């Protein structure tokens, strides 16, 4: 009798609490659920897309930040979201990260619907514009944070943290605090802190925005090499067109809550779809005109510069004669020659207004009988580049392939 | 030898002039603290080692008798009365601080989330209780919680207390009044910290897989820690020495540090013993504060959950 009660007391006081703690510990339960969700969201089966954004709309008070945006990103792709501030690019990134929820529409990661999944259970990581390092943690603890949240510890934690710190070259700062690092070093820490989690998609919100030009160029190259080596999908938000052109597989040019055009760098530069894209990426000579007809697959348009042929859409979009339209010609596609000999067909006399010497090239602004044109000449190949303001030049007629027809 | 000159507010000063100025400017404050703070404390510490004369005077033999009595070894053998008073007072201070933290954390975040116009209003409302005298507030609680008050009737109707009973005197009344009185001391410094909070760090934690609790624990708490610690100290210190509220609302059944000290200096005319209570309570509180400051000052360490 007495013996059995001792056993009972032992059972009640020792065994039950232990079992309860072991199996019903709230923290463990939550961690288990998180791990399961993340695993589910990371399973690649049946998905050829890393990220799918379908008809996502997001409004702030009365202002529409994203208006029915759709975007599909392939695995291992480097995609840039490019646009002026306030165009919705950061909001789109935050919706993919789960830091912001879409009012309507769907977000899929690896084929799984994550529209309502909170940020901490999505298999993506973000490099923030302000880096957002934990100020009270050492660099090493900053990097280890994500793994600790996943309850990874011991040798595996050490191995993964060391590897990623080696990769991003921050091993030397391991024991320091974020406040003791320079901007470029902090940027590397932010990158390491995200990469250590081996995300399927890495989101970068203007990560190089706060750095000086030289460091920026260097980190661009490193970042791109890293992306190729790790095979992680990168979504890179920037307002710097050169950065986007230099790094991306594809670029989504955004404006006022939607994507104006999506394509690779060459496509966007050579065949901008509309006025916004044409002017946001590089500079353009814009000419308003009226359609006259078609000839040999090119569209004939009457403009200030006379009748121009545009071969940009290969006549695929044949506009009815009389339609108003806009043409764009890149400054480097405008050809000048010395004012010698008689004027040939289509040529116009012009006077140099301004000249800006850029080292490798010269930007000229010329006045061709009331028509102001921006011209870009390579100094090495075009002696005409050395023309000074007030001097005369002759503008050649633009060939059909360099005249772009814009949608408006 | 080069003469070191410093420009201060447009004036050029030598190092000597500068030192003189600093001394001159701080002299009144230093003198005040020395006269009315340092000297009295030293006197108290000194008196606590002397003996009580037959007529309540402080007399010569230097002894540890007061401290022995305080530890519980009186003429009647061991009695834990005074250690209990100390523990009870510390418990009151800690209890009040804890309740204030529980009430003040959400309040500080709520105020910080308001628009700037409402913020000012809310902060004014937090401070308004200070405009009334402590005694008046305490008596007001007596009326509010009395057996014929509407609060007591409501509590009776729900079945929390028996019919005809009041919510006062009792532990509930004491803590209700204590929290009401000391909450602003916690909310104001805490609010200042919450206001400066960098939310992108919380977002970064979320992004790295931290759930709600871990976001608070690792991204928000470290940022508001200075304000929180300051607030806890500001509540804990006066709450530990408080005895008016427990007396008026708790039914004057238990002694606390405040009453004990007042008892010895007043009716009992035992200054050495009163001093020893004051010295011990001061020491205990200072050890507590040192510990907290050390905790708050720890950097760059992260305990695993």
């Amino acid at each position: 009798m007495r013996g059995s009660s001792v056993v009972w007391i032992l059972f009640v006081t020792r065994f039950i609490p232990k079992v309860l703690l072991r199996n019903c510990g709230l923290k463990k339960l939550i961690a288990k659920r998180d791990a399961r969700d993340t695993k589910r969201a990371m399973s690649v089966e049946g998905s050829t897309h890393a990220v799918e954004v379908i008809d996502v709309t997001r409004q702030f008070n009365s202002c529409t930040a994203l208006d029915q945006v759709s975007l599909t990103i392939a695995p291992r792709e480097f995609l840039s979201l490019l646009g002026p501030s306030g165009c919705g690019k950061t909001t789109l990134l935050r919706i993919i990260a789960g830091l912001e929820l879409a009012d309507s529409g769907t977000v899929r990661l690896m084929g799984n619907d994550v529209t309502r999944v909170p940020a901490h259970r999505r298999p993506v990581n973000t490099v923030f514009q302000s880096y957002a390092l934990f100020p009270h943690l050492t660099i090493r603890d900053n990097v280890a944070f994500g793994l600790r949240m996943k309850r990874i510890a011991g040798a595996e934690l050490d191995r993964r943290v060391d590897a990623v710190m080696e990769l991003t070259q921050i091993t030397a700062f391991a024991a320091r605090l974020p406040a003791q690092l320079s901007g470029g070093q902090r940027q590397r820490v932010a990158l390491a802190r995200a990469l250590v989690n081996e995300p399927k998609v890495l989101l970068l919100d203007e990560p190089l925005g706060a750095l000086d030009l030289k460091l920026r160029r260097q980190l661009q190259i490193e970042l791109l090499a890293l992306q190729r080596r790790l095979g992680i999908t990168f979504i890179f938000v920037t307002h710097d067109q050169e950065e986007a052109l230099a790094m991306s597989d594809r670029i989504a040019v955004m404006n006022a809550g939607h994507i104006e055009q999506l394509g690779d760098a060459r496509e966007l530069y050579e065949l901008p779809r509309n006025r916004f894209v044409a002017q946001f990426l590089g500079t353009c000579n814009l000419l308003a005109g009226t359609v006259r007809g078609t000839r040999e697959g090119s569209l004939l348009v009457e403009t200030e510069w006379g009748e121009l042929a545009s071969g940009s859409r290969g006549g695929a979009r044949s506009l009815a004669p009389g339609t108003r339209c806009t043409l764009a010609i890149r400054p480097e596609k405008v050809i000048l020659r010395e004012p010698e000999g008689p004027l040939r067909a289509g040529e116009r006399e012009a006077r140099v207004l301004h000249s800006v010497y850029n080292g490798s090239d010269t930007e000229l602004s010329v006045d061709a009988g009331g028509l102001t044109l921006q011209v870009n000449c390579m100094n090495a190949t075009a002696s005409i580049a050395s023309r000074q303001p007030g001097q005369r030049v002759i503008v050649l007629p633009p060939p059909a392939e360099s005249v772009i027809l814009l949608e408006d | 030898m080069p003469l070191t000159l410093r420009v201060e507010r447009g004036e050029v000063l030598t190092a000597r002039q500068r030192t003189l100025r600093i001394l001159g400017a701080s002299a009144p404050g230093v003198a005040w603290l020395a006269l009315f703070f340092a000297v009295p404390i030293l006197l108290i510490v000194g008196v606590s080692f002397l003996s009580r004369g037959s007529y309540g005077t402080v007399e010569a033999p230097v002894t540890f008798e007061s401290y022995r009595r305080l530890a519980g070894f009186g003429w009647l053998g061991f009695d834990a009365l005074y250690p209990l008073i100390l523990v009870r007072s510390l418990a009151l201070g800690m209890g009040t601080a804890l309740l204030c933290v529980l009430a003040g954390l959400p309040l500080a975040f709520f105020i910080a989330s308001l628009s700037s116009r409402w913020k000012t209003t809310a902060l004014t409302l937090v401070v308004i209780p200070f405009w009334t005298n402590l005694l008046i507030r305490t008596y007001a609680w007596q009326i509010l919680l009395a057996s014929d008050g509407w609060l007591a009737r409501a509590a009776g109707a729900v079945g929390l207390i028996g019919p005809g009973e009041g919510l006062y005197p009792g532990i509930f009344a004491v803590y209700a009044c204590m929290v009401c009185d000391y909450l602003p001391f916690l909310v104001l410094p805490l609010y200042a910290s919450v206001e400066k909070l960098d939310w992108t760090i919380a977002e970064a934690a979320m992004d790295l897989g931290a759930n709600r609790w871990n976001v608070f624990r690792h991204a928000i708490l470290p940022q508001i820690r200075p304000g929180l610690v300051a607030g806890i100290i500001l509540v804990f210190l006066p709450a530990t020495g408080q005895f008016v509220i427990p007396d008026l609302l708790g039914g004057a059944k238990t002694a606390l540090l405040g009453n004990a000290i007042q008892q010895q200096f007043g009716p009992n005319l035992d200054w050495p013993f009163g001093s020893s209570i004051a010295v011990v309570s001061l020491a205990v509180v200072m050890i507590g504060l040192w510990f907290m400051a050390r905790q708050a000052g720890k950097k760059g360490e992260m305990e695993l959950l």
Side-chain angles (χ1 to χ4, degrees), chain B residues 97-278:
Chain B
L98 181 70
L99 288 175
C100 282
V101 168
L102 292 180
L105 266 175
L107 186 60
F109 278 90
F110 172 69
I111 294 175
S113 75
L114 294 173
S115 69
S116 60
R117 208 182 97 227
W118 286 106
K119 250 176 223 175
T120 324
T121 316
L123 287 174
T124 314
L125 285 175
V126 165
V127 180
I128 273 185
F130 285 142
W131 298 355
T132 328
N133 181 281
L134 172 80
L135 278 175
I136 293 173
R137 266 179 287 156
T138 312
Y139 282 118
W141 274 106
Q142 282 192 353
I143 296 164
L144 200 61
L145 299 175
S147 54
D148 54 350
W150 62 271
L151 265 176
R153 275 192 218 151
V158 179
L160 288 176
I161 51 173
E165 282 177 37
L167 286 164
Y168 134 85
I171 189 108
F172 173 77
V174 173
Y175 276 108
C177 185
M178 293 285 275
V179 169
C180 175
D181 280 348
Y182 291 112
L183 193 56
F185 289 110
L186 185 108
V187 168
L188 293 180
L190 185 58
Y191 164 77
S193 282
V194 171
E195 183 79 317
K196 286 186 292 183
L197 201 67
D198 181 356
W199 285 100
T200 53
I201 289 172
E203 286 188 342
M206 229 182 282
D207 185 71
L208 292 166
N211 56 30
R212 279 158 167 271
W213 161 248
N214 281 334
V215 168
F216 178 75
R217 164 85 180 67
H218 296 292
I220 293 177
L221 194 60
Q223 291 191 69
I224 61 171
R225 188 173 252 168
L228 192 62
V229 169
I232 289 173
I233 289 172
L234 285 178
V235 170
F236 174 72
L237 285 189
T240 303
Q242 180 59 260
F243 63 94
V244 174
I245 294 169
D247 261 10
L248 291 181
L249 290 171
K253 278 176 286 193
T254 51
L256 291 159
L257 277 177
N259 327 50
I261 295 171
Q262 190 247 1
Q263 179 88 17
Q264 298 309 322
F265 278 94
N268 282 15
L269 280 176
D270 193 344
W271 286 26
F273 189 48
S275 301
S276 70
I277 304 176

Side-chain angles (χ1 to χ4, degrees), chain B residues 83-99:
Chain B
L84 267 180
I85 287 177
L86 185 65
V87 168
R88 206 181 284 140
S89 293
L90 290 174
L92 181 70
M94 284 192 245
T96 307
L98 181 70
L99 288 175

